[in-house]
mmCIF file of all heavy atoms in Angstrom:
data_model
loop_
_atom_site.group_PDB
_atom_site.id
_atom_site.type_symbol
_atom_site.label_atom_id
_atom_site.label_comp_id
_atom_site.label_asym_id
_atom_site.label_seq_id
_atom_site.Cartn_x
_atom_site.Cartn_y
_atom_site.Cartn_z
ATOM 1 N N LYS A 1406 30.987 7.770 -11.400
ATOM 2 C CA LYS A 1406 32.101 7.352 -10.600
ATOM 3 C C LYS A 1406 32.908 8.523 -10.057
ATOM 4 O O LYS A 1406 33.365 8.556 -8.959
ATOM 5 C CB LYS A 1406 33.040 6.475 -11.383
ATOM 6 C CG LYS A 1406 32.491 5.007 -11.566
ATOM 7 C CD LYS A 1406 33.513 4.196 -12.381
ATOM 8 C CE LYS A 1406 33.073 2.813 -12.659
ATOM 9 N NZ LYS A 1406 33.964 2.114 -13.571
ATOM 10 N N GLU A 1488 49.743 10.852 -15.239
ATOM 11 C CA GLU A 1488 51.023 11.053 -15.974
ATOM 12 C C GLU A 1488 51.219 12.590 -16.063
ATOM 13 O O GLU A 1488 50.498 13.390 -16.297
ATOM 14 C CB GLU A 1488 50.829 10.458 -17.368
ATOM 15 C CG GLU A 1488 50.567 8.862 -17.326
ATOM 16 C CD GLU A 1488 50.714 8.220 -18.653
ATOM 17 O OE1 GLU A 1488 51.250 8.848 -19.574
ATOM 18 O OE2 GLU A 1488 50.344 7.136 -18.779
ATOM 19 N N CYS A 1557 63.200 27.874 -0.644
ATOM 20 C CA CYS A 1557 62.123 26.958 -0.946
ATOM 21 C C CYS A 1557 62.764 25.788 -1.909
ATOM 22 O O CYS A 1557 63.806 26.010 -2.494
ATOM 23 C CB CYS A 1557 60.867 27.483 -1.632
ATOM 24 S SG CYS A 1557 61.242 28.167 -3.157
#
Side-chain angles (χ1 to χ4, degrees):
Chain A
K1406 280 183 180 171
E1488 297 194 15
C1557 69

